[in-house]
Amino acid sequence: MEKIRKILALAEKEVLIDIVKNVQKRKMKGAKGEWKEFLVEYDSQLGDSLLDPNKRPPACLVAFLNTFTKEQDLEFFEKIMTYHSNRKAIEQLNKSCIDVQSSPQKLASLTFEHPEYPKCFSFPSYDEDWVMTKIGKVSKAIKSTRMLSVDCEMVLCEDKTESLVQVCVVNRNLEVKLNELVKLDKPVLDYRTQIHGINAKDLERATCSLEDIQKSMKKLLSDGVVLIGHSLDKDLKALKVDHSRVIDTSLIFKYPEGHTHKRPSLNHLCKTVLGYDLRESGAPHNCLADAQAAMKLVLAKLENKFDVVIPLKIKEVLESDGVIPLKRKKVLESDGFVPMKSKDVFEIESVELFFHEVPIAVPQKQLRRLFPEDSTVKLQASLTGDAYNSSAVFKDSMEACNAFESFKGEEGKDSSGVPQKLISLDIKYGKRAGSVSFYVHKVLKKVSSDKNPADEGSIQFEETKEQNKKPIKNSDQRDQVKEIQRLKKDLSDRSPADKRSIQVEETKDQNKKQKKHSDQCDHDEEIQRLKKEIKGRESELTKAHNIMADLIKKRGL
């Protein structure tokens, strides 16, 4: 008691005001009654005419608080003082020079500075059944690298509140520090077994109460430990523990501009950052695996393995706004979706660029508009759940390189070292609008030792045996004539000499067209000749491009 009184005497006025206001709110009584009754006796001149604690001197506030002697009242005062002490320490930690901050502290600061932090981490910490940890000395906390990761599972009770049923805590090495089922003290409305796999029978063997868990957490979180979790505010509410030094993995990664209020799922982050699915679709949560996943995400961030923008799923962008996406099949079919088996995506040698997990709200037509109107690109897509992949096939690699460079977005490399960019697009659903993001990868073609790299970079034109076996029709002849004209136009853009050559060939073609029955074999030979000539030109361009790239790389441009 004497210790609390000394602390109160040295407390700042704003802390004393907060305590008195909370005492008023709870209608707590000291030895001389409530706040109003105390003032009548304490101040003979003003009495209770001035009730606002803000307008009373600190000495008056301290005198009132010293009238309380019950242990539970003093514990309540201590909670409020600890709360203010922690907040002040956090501000000092965040204002400290970044050079002296430990890496975990930098991520804790990133969480604290996030726009969603004040809303998410404002807890009823003063309530009787809550526990509040202490940060301790700032000089020690700022250098501490100790981290723990937590995940909790809850059930829905009949009073519509949630109760903790399991808690898992792991350290930096992913070693288990706490893994317990928790006894329930309320009737259950929904066990939510489909979410976490825990049922009523499982909880019959639980031996720990919430109070036991809180005591364990308080010991684990001493000496400047940083607590990690995904949407950690929900876990802390279930634990009824207020711990100030936290890293929330749903807040520390970069998001597309204008979407800082979006919080992606843990599974989505694992797939994007760590490169694996945390759980199969429909599988229940694994409390321990989730705690370990959150720690892995933080370690990846600390090791600078991931510092790019997190692409949002389309439902994360639109469903929160009340927008119900159209059925995937209808969206894609109406857009002229070209089906392609998923396993074929990486087997097609002619693919130059690869769009990964394009939200279904982005139609193929809009994707095509990313390229110039005269581009030779052709898109092929494959559906993968809430998104689709699309391969962009070009007639030459130079055009693909130019297209990749023209895209606006944060550039980096994927886990395999392949160049990639994150593209953001504005989309509309009726009267609503949003922004979605997806990656475009620069697919590098494999070159075998027995082939010329330039030849590998060129386009391979092959006709299947089935097509050769088909009977020749007038429509096929017209298509082949058009193909000849298209190839000649493409060849004519390459050099003046080519143009002169083509003019000669066009004269020959005009003479042939005057015949009533053109020879189909001549058409086939003409197509093959032109393709061969284009292939040669393409090889020369590819060689020039490779030489240029090597020069740029050597000069560091």
Side-chain angles (χ1 to χ4, degrees):
M1 184 185 297
E2 193 62 31
K3 181 182 177 181
I4 295 295
R5 296 194 188 286
K6 288 181 180 180
I7 295 174
L8 286 172
L10 298 173
E12 295 180 359
K13 185 178 179 180
E14 64 175 15
V15 179
L16 297 172
I17 290 171
D18 193 21
I19 298 174
V20 173
K21 284 185 175 181
N22 276 281
V23 166
Q24 283 181 282
K25 196 180 295 182
R26 287 166 171 75
K27 297 183 178 181
M28 297 167 60
K29 291 184 179 182
K32 295 184 179 181
E34 295 183 11
W35 172 243
K36 186 175 182 180
E37 296 167 337
F38 165 81
L39 289 176
V40 172
E41 183 178 338
Y42 179 82
D43 192 340
S44 58
Q45 293 182 346
L46 295 175
D48 61 356
S49 62
L50 190 61
L51 289 175
D52 187 355
N54 289 287
K55 297 180 180 179
R56 291 287 183 170
C60 175
L61 303 175
V62 172
F64 170 64
L65 296 176
N66 282 336
T67 65
F68 290 83
T69 57
K70 293 180 181 179
E71 187 176 346
Q72 63 182 23
D73 293 340
L74 296 178
E75 287 179 356
F76 177 66
F77 296 169
E78 187 177 11
K79 271 189 176 182
I80 298 177
M81 288 187 287
T82 301
Y83 175 86
H84 284 276
S85 174
N86 285 345
R87 291 301 178 271
K88 187 175 181 179
I90 287 294
E91 289 177 3
Q92 290 177 347
L93 286 168
N94 293 333
K95 289 179 181 178
S96 60
C97 179
I98 194 169
D99 294 334
V100 300
Q101 290 181 352
S102 65
S103 296
Q105 176 55 41
K106 292 175 184 177
L107 293 187
S109 298
L110 199 61
T111 299
F112 182 78
E113 293 165 359
H114 194 278
E116 292 291 294
Y117 179 87
K119 180 179 71 175
C120 298
F121 288 86
S122 296
F123 304 127
S125 312
Y126 306 157
D127 286 356
E128 186 177 351
D129 54 351
W130 273 71
V131 169
M132 196 179 302
T133 62
K134 294 181 181 179
I135 288 182
K137 293 183 179 180
V138 173
S139 58
K140 289 185 178 180
I142 200 170
K143 297 178 181 179
S144 175
T145 58
R146 292 185 61 203
M147 299 187 297
L148 291 174
S149 179
V150 65
D151 187 73
C152 298
E153 301 296 348
M154 286 77 79
V155 297
L156 180 65
C157 298
E158 290 183 357
D159 62 359
K160 304 301 181 181
T161 62
E162 289 187 329
S163 285
L164 180 72
V165 290
Q166 187 181 17
V167 56
C168 290
V169 179
V170 298
N171 63 13
R172 189 169 188 152
N173 297 322
L174 307 181
E175 299 168 339
V176 179
K177 307 301 291 184
L178 183 67
N179 187 358
E180 293 288 349
L181 293 174
V182 185
K183 292 188 296 185
L184 290 167
D185 57 359
K186 295 179 184 179
V188 177
L189 178 64
D190 183 2
Y191 280 94
R192 295 175 174 171
T193 304
Q194 73 279 9
I195 296 176
H196 46 60
I198 301 171
N199 54 40
K201 190 174 182 179
D202 294 327
L203 294 174
E204 289 177 1
R205 54 188 174 88
T207 58
C208 292
S209 65
L210 175 61
E211 189 176 354
D212 295 330
I213 297 298
Q214 289 175 328
K215 289 178 181 178
S216 298
M217 291 297 296
K218 201 168 183 179
K219 289 179 181 178
L220 289 170
L221 296 174
S222 60
D223 301 327
V225 172
V226 177
L227 186 62
I228 296 166
H230 185 81
S231 294
L232 182 58
D233 53 304
K234 297 177 181 177
D235 298 311
L236 292 176
K237 286 175 184 175
L239 291 164
K240 293 187 176 180
V241 172
D242 187 350
H243 184 70
S244 298
R245 292 192 75 208
V246 298
I247 298 174
D248 193 328
T249 54
S250 71
L251 302 179
I252 62 171
F253 291 92
K254 294 180 182 179
Y255 304 98
E257 187 176 352
H259 290 288
T260 54
H261 63 291
K262 301 297 180 185
R263 302 174 76 177
S265 67
L266 181 60
N267 192 48
H268 182 50
L269 276 181
C270 284
K271 187 174 182 179
T272 306
V273 180
L274 304 178
Y276 74 93
D277 286 316
L278 180 60
R279 63 182 66 88
E280 294 181 2
S281 179
H285 293 190
N286 183 312
C287 194
L288 178 58
D290 288 3
Q292 291 174 331
M295 179 62 77
K296 290 177 184 178
L297 287 168
V298 169
L299 293 175
K301 186 76 172 176
L302 292 177
E303 293 168 7
N304 296 320
K305 288 185 177 179
F306 196 92
D307 196 31
V308 298
V309 178
I310 298 292
L312 296 179
K313 290 183 178 180
I314 183 60
K315 64 180 181 180
E316 289 173 334
V317 176
L318 300 176
E319 285 183 358
S320 61
D321 296 327
V323 179
I324 303 175
L326 297 174
K327 290 183 178 180
R328 304 184 189 101
K329 188 176 180 182
K330 288 186 177 180
V331 171
L332 296 172
E333 284 182 351
S334 64
D335 184 43
F337 176 74
V338 181
M340 182 174 64
K341 295 179 180 179
S342 298
K343 66 186 179 77
D344 294 333
V345 172
F346 297 104
E347 295 175 356
I348 301 175
E349 291 186 352
S350 59
V351 174
E352 296 285 352
L353 299 180
F354 180 70
F355 293 93
H356 180 57
E357 288 199 349
V358 183
I360 58 171
V362 180
Q364 285 272 96
K365 293 178 181 177
Q366 187 166 356
L367 203 62
R368 177 61 178 79
R369 285 198 290 270
L370 291 171
F371 304 94
E373 290 184 6
D374 59 349
S375 174
T376 64
V377 67
K378 290 185 179 181
L379 300 177
Q380 288 183 307
S382 60
L383 187 60
T384 58
D386 294 322
Y388 65 92
N389 297 331
S390 187
S391 299
V393 184
F394 296 83
K395 290 178 65 176
D396 65 75
S397 58
M398 181 70 77
E399 184 180 359
C401 291
N402 292 337
F404 183 82
E405 294 301 323
S406 68
F407 294 147
K408 294 181 179 179
E410 190 166 348
E411 188 169 357
K413 292 184 178 180
D414 63 14
S415 58
S416 302
V418 175
Q420 67 178 13
K421 281 186 179 180
L422 185 68
I423 299 176
S424 294
L425 290 179
D426 294 328
I427 60 172
K428 290 185 178 181
Y429 261 72
K431 296 182 179 180
R432 298 181 182 274
S435 177
V436 294
S437 303
F438 51 90
Y439 284 105
V440 56
H441 298 257
K442 204 175 189 181
V443 179
L444 305 179
K445 297 178 181 179
K446 296 180 180 179
V447 180
S448 58
S449 58
D450 58 341
K451 291 184 179 182
N452 187 322
D455 293 337
E456 282 292 308
S458 63
I459 297 175
Q460 298 178 359
F461 295 96
E462 294 184 6
E463 296 178 1
T464 62
K465 294 181 181 179
E466 288 78 8
Q467 290 175 331
N468 292 333
K469 291 179 181 179
K470 290 181 180 179
I472 299 171
K473 298 180 180 179
N474 291 335
S475 59
D476 292 334
Q477 293 179 4
R478 288 194 297 270
D479 291 341
Q480 288 186 334
V481 171
K482 289 181 180 179
E483 176 70 357
I484 290 172
Q485 296 300 324
R486 184 187 66 78
L487 291 170
K488 287 178 178 178
K489 184 179 183 302
D490 183 74
L491 189 59
S492 67
D493 294 336
R494 299 178 184 275
S495 69
D498 293 334
K499 292 182 180 180
R500 289 193 296 270
S501 175
I502 288 172
Q503 288 173 357
V504 173
E505 294 300 326
E506 283 179 347
T507 303
K508 294 180 180 179
D509 289 338
Q510 288 174 357
N511 294 332
K512 289 180 180 179
K513 286 180 182 178
Q514 293 175 357
K515 297 179 181 180
K516 293 183 179 179
H517 302 286
S518 61
D519 189 354
Q520 183 62 34
C521 294
D522 290 342
H523 285 160
D524 292 339
E525 291 175 2
E526 182 71 1
I527 289 173
Q528 293 303 321
R529 186 189 66 76
L530 289 170
K531 286 179 179 178
K532 185 176 180 180
E533 192 167 352
I534 288 177
K535 186 175 180 180
R537 300 294 184 194
E538 193 63 34
S539 297
E540 294 175 5
L541 286 174
T542 302
K543 288 178 182 178
H545 173 67
N546 291 336
I547 293 171
M548 186 182 297
D550 290 336
L551 288 173
I552 291 173
K553 186 175 181 181
K554 288 178 181 178
R555 295 183 180 181
L557 297 176

